[in-house]
Each structure stands twice: as C-alpha cells, then as structure tokens.
Amino acid sequence: MDIRPVEAHQPPYYTVVFTSVRREDGAGEYGEAAERMAELVKDVPGFLGYESARTPGGLGITVGYFRDEEAIGVWQRNAEHRAVQQQGRDEWYENYTVHVAKVEWSYGFERG
C-alpha cells in the first residue's frame, strides 16, 4: 500500500476537519459506513481528497479537501451522508467537532 498525503493544491481551497472519539460499545457497522462515505464523497464535484488517522487512544481525525464552499455544501446536503451522520450521533460517537477552514497557502515535498 502506498501511503502518502493528499497533494498540495492551488489555493485557495477549503478543508473540513472532523475530529471524533468513538464510543467503546458503538462500533457496529462503522467500518462499512466509513468505507461507503469515502467512496461517495469522491462523486462530489470539487472534492480534492481526504486523509484519516486514529490514535491508539481513540481520537480520530479526518481532513477532507474541497475546491470551494459550494462543494462542501453538496457533501453536507447528500442524503446518504446525512443519514450516516445521524447514525454516528445515535450509535458510534462519544463526541466530535467539525472545523472548516480556507487554505491560503499549500506546498509539499517528496523525496527522490
């Protein structure tokens, strides 16, 4: 598996940072739903990519990259995404936060 960050894009663009702690007893269908959302968001015009990680202590961070606020809105209004969000509140998450930010500067590095 080739592990690499999402490439730097030409600013400005936007990030949506979803930080969460899952319930210990709330795993259920979480993995399947997360995989489905990862596939579904790729169909959003203006979606640039995402990165996701979870610490051993259970803190999860997913950063989605979008060309503009309109693309974020399309993702927010997606009916299947909204249903999974509700399922997350009902079953999977102890707590979460969402931060949306405009990227003004972006660059990267790759060895060799």
Side-chain angles (χ1 to χ4, degrees), residues 4 10 26 34 41 55 68 72 80 82 87 91 96 107:
R4 58 186 334 128
Q10 181 66 41
V41 72
T55 69
D68 50 36
I72 294 170
E80 192 172 346
R82 292 180 67 80
Q87 190 173 9
E91 299 176 26
Y96 66 81
Y107 65 93

Side-chain angles (χ1 to χ4, degrees), residues 40-112:
L40 189 62
V41 72
K42 291 176 184 176
D43 293 335
V44 172
F47 173 71
L48 302 173
Y50 80 96
E51 298 157 321
S52 189
R54 186 161 297 280
T55 69
L59 180 68
I61 301 172
T62 298
V63 182
Y65 300 92
F66 296 85
R67 176 53 49 206
D68 50 36
E69 291 177 274
E70 182 179 329
I72 294 170
V74 168
W75 179 233
Q76 285 178 316
R77 291 185 300 275
N78 179 283
E80 192 172 346
H81 180 219
R82 292 180 67 80
V84 167
Q85 286 177 319
Q86 185 60 53
Q87 190 173 9
R89 287 188 290 274
D90 293 344
E91 299 176 26
W92 300 322
Y93 297 117
E94 191 64 42
N95 54 61
Y96 66 81
T97 57
V98 176
H99 307 276
V100 178
K102 184 176 183 181
V103 176
E104 301 281 349
W105 193 33
S106 181
Y107 65 93
F109 165 81
E110 187 167 336
R111 187 168 309 282

Side-chain angles (χ1 to χ4, degrees), residues 2-17:
D2 186 27
I3 299 173
R4 58 186 334 128
V6 170
E7 67 183 77
H9 293 279
Q10 181 66 41
Y13 59 94
Y14 289 82
T15 63
V16 176
V17 182

